[in-house]
Amino acid sequence: MRVLIVGLGYAGTRFLNAFSRTAAETEFAYVGRSQKETSLPYYDSTTRALAEFRPDVVVVTVPDMAHAEILSELDGYRGFVLAEKPLALPGENLGRIESHLRTVSGFCMDLVERYSDATRVLRTHVLERDLRLVRAHFTWGKDRINDHRPTSGVQSEVIHPLDLVQWIAGRGAGLELESVLGTRSDFSVSGDAVLDSVALSARLDGGRVTGYSSFVNITRSRAIDFVFRDPQGELSYAGAVYDTPAWDADRLRVWRRTSSGDEVFREVDTREEPVPDEARTIVKLSRMAEDVTEFVVRGRQPASPFPGLADALALQRLLNTMDAQVNSADPVAYFPAGRTVLQEADLERLG
């Protein structure tokens, strides 16, 4: 199997490590603006790499603002595409992107939290018990103040809980935004008024969703709480926490309250599960890479469907609506006198 990574930076290197852990014999090459200190074959253009390397899988991990351009360069490509989120920037032509990907054999967006044991167990429980969403609330943030990586803003962070809430509890329905309050700042090298945080409310299949997501959250926090109603009218609760205290350390508790105490239905806790050094921070990503490999090499469908192009387009339209509706005050100035850009090395903060 041949894997072409377009953008061998932080995210691209993580995918390189994840695909290296699969059972398939894999050749790698990369596309970048300049050649790196690696023995991997290098190409200065995606078009030339497609023609000469002939990859089975193309992994798109360039900065957010280049996603649409690279995806459009895959026009006519017949292999599998794995793309970082978000799909595009607000205002970019989604129909054009969809058209240029019409010939691909498969598509997966890096919505990696779908590959968490907590997510899988909770989604299965909701479907098996025919639960209906009453209320969901998420808090999803991390610290990217003065991060050297360009970004479209909090869109790249809030996409995870927006996807998870729909995937777990939506029963095929899509979120309908009601209100969005946001904050802009110069936290990023990408500009002086980049949207860094949002607080929103929405409806989903008769239930209400609220949440807060931020790229200037000093402490990483990734949690979603749910209240469900079963067919008999009884309430049950679920709390899912992701990547705490370390990446891929997830937990879930599903329960209902009774006069004699809580009745626990499901519990997951991966905090104490041993992780080899070479798999640190990429446990869930490796599951995604394994599913893609099995699909490409053996034609095996994954147990859960890939977060496909239809999902990516629907989420991008939701992000576009959020961007259009957001109310924000004057931007916050973290660096009024200029900045010294930091080359971050802490994997936990980068994640």
Side-chain angles (χ1 to χ4, degrees):
M1 183 175 75
R2 292 190 180 95
V3 176
L4 176 68
I5 299 175
V6 185
L8 192 61
Y10 171 71
T13 300
R14 295 183 71 239
F15 274 108
L16 172 65
N17 294 337
F19 275 101
S20 296
R21 289 174 52 77
T22 68
E25 292 187 10
T26 305
E27 299 176 45
F28 295 96
Y30 70 101
V31 175
R33 289 177 295 182
S34 60
Q35 193 163 2
K36 296 182 177 292
E37 294 183 4
T38 173
S39 60
L40 298 179
Y42 164 70
Y43 296 92
D44 58 6
S45 79
T46 305
T47 302
R48 189 163 73 87
L50 293 175
E52 297 180 13
F53 186 61
R54 294 177 289 110
D56 301 293
V57 179
V58 173
V59 182
V60 180
T61 55
V62 293
D64 300 356
M65 45 285 300
H67 287 181
E69 175 187 352
I70 297 301
L71 292 172
S72 295
E73 290 178 1
L74 300 180
D75 190 21
Y77 175 62
R78 297 186 178 277
F80 193 100
V81 175
L82 202 167
E84 265 296 348
K85 41 71 189 174
L87 190 67
L89 300 182
E92 291 185 310
N93 190 330
L94 297 183
R96 183 169 177 261
I97 296 173
E98 184 176 19
S99 175
H100 287 159
L101 295 174
R102 66 190 181 282
T103 61
V104 300
S105 62
F107 183 94
C108 177
M109 175 160 277
D110 181 18
L111 298 170
V112 69
E113 302 299 354
R114 286 198 189 188
Y115 291 81
S116 167
D117 289 336
T119 301
R120 290 172 167 176
V121 169
L122 180 54
R123 184 171 189 266
T124 299
H125 180 81
V126 169
L127 292 174
E128 288 179 348
R129 298 292 184 98
D130 193 24
L131 301 181
R132 296 279 181 175
L133 180 68
V134 177
R135 176 75 185 271
H137 179 77
F138 63 80
T139 303
W140 204 278
K142 64 183 178 185
D143 174 14
R144 281 190 62 174
I145 298 174
N146 208 20
D147 186 344
H148 70 280
R149 296 170 296 169
T151 177
S152 60
V154 74
Q155 292 91 331
S156 186
E157 184 77 346
V158 73
I159 192 172
H160 284 298
L162 293 179
D163 175 64
L164 285 175
V165 169
Q166 294 176 96
W167 177 244
I168 291 168
R171 305 166 61 93
L175 273 169
E176 299 177 11
L177 286 176
E178 294 182 313
S179 65
V180 188
L181 179 66
T183 306
R184 301 181 186 274
S185 75
D186 62 352
F187 84 98
S188 166
V189 296
S190 300
D192 294 333
V194 178
L195 189 65
D196 67 36
S197 306
V198 289
L200 59 84
S201 64
R203 291 196 176 274
L204 176 65
D205 192 31
R208 177 66 62 86
V209 178
T210 57
Y212 174 75
S213 183
S214 177
F215 263 161
V216 297
N217 221 59
I218 305 307
T219 303
R220 185 175 62 203
S221 178
R222 295 175 176 174
I224 310 179
D225 294 331
F226 296 88
V227 180
F228 297 104
R229 181 173 287 108
D230 68 19
Q232 290 72 46
E234 296 291 329
L235 294 180
S236 61
Y237 308 88
V241 179
Y242 298 86
D243 302 315
T244 303
W247 236 350
D248 297 315
D250 303 341
R251 60 189 186 273
L252 167 73
R253 186 173 187 261
V254 187
W255 75 100
R256 74 181 179 97
R257 294 174 181 148
T258 72
S259 298
S260 56
D262 291 348
E263 178 185 358
V264 178
F265 298 120
R266 303 286 182 96
E267 284 189 296
V268 170
D269 193 337
T270 67
R271 287 176 294 179
E272 300 302 323
E273 291 185 4
V275 178
D277 287 344
E278 64 272 15
R280 183 172 170 245
T281 79
I282 59 168
V283 173
K284 287 173 282 194
L285 200 71
S286 295
R287 293 173 180 171
M288 183 190 300
E290 188 66 43
D291 275 359
V292 171
T293 299
E294 288 293 308
F295 179 83
V296 170
V297 174
R298 298 179 177 83
R300 185 176 298 166
Q301 293 289 340
S304 293
F306 291 118
L309 185 56
D311 297 301
L313 288 165
L315 282 164
Q316 188 59 51
R317 293 186 182 102
L318 185 62
L319 293 176
N320 292 352
T321 301
M322 183 189 78
D323 187 77
Q325 292 183 359
V326 66
N327 288 314
S328 59
D330 293 338
V332 175
Y334 288 100
F335 307 102
R339 75 177 79 211
T340 300
V341 177
L342 303 179
Q343 295 289 324
E344 184 63 64
D346 183 350
L347 293 179
E348 290 298 338
R349 200 178 91 86
L350 283 171

